[in-house]
Amino acid sequence: IGTGSDAVAYLRHAGNLSVDPPSIAANSNNTQNILLADIMSGDQIFLTPPSNLEAGLVLVGASTLIGSVDITLRNTTGTAINGIARNWYYFVVR
C-alpha cells in the first residue's frame, strides 16, 4: 500500500473480532487481551468499534502481542457499564 518510504509493508489480516467488555467502573479504563492468530508484537492494528457500542464506552487504544491484542476501553460515565459481546472490524499491517 503506497510507494517509497511511505509504503506500508503489507496488509496482514482483516476481519471481525469479538470484543466482550467486562464490567468497567465509572471513569476508569479496562484492558482486555483477545487472541488473534498470526499477529506479532509490533504489528499495527486498527479497530473500528460497532455503531451500537454502549454509550459512554470509548476505545482508548490497542497494542499487539504475539498471538493476541490488548484492547483498552474507557468508561466515561459516572456509573459502571457492563458491555456485551459485539463484533469489531479490524485490520493489521506489518
Side-chain angles (χ1 to χ4, degrees), residues 10-46:
Y10 61 91
L11 179 65
R12 180 70 182 146
H13 289 285
N16 291 306
L17 180 67
S18 180
V19 178
D20 186 5
S23 183
I24 302 174
N27 297 307
S28 63
N29 293 352
N30 176 272
T31 300
Q32 181 178 13
N33 182 266
I34 299 173
L35 297 178
L36 188 58
D38 297 328
I39 197 168
M40 301 288 292
S41 180
D43 286 350
Q44 295 180 32
I45 188 164
F46 300 89

Side-chain angles (χ1 to χ4, degrees), residues 36-78:
L36 188 58
D38 297 328
I39 197 168
M40 301 288 292
S41 180
D43 286 350
Q44 295 180 32
I45 188 164
F46 300 89
L47 294 163
T48 303
S51 61
N52 60 349
L53 185 64
E54 288 81 1
L57 287 184
V58 295
L59 174 64
V60 173
S63 58
T64 56
L65 306 166
I66 296 173
S68 67
V69 60
D70 281 345
I71 298 174
T72 302
L73 297 176
R74 179 158 184 83
N75 175 356
T76 62
T77 72

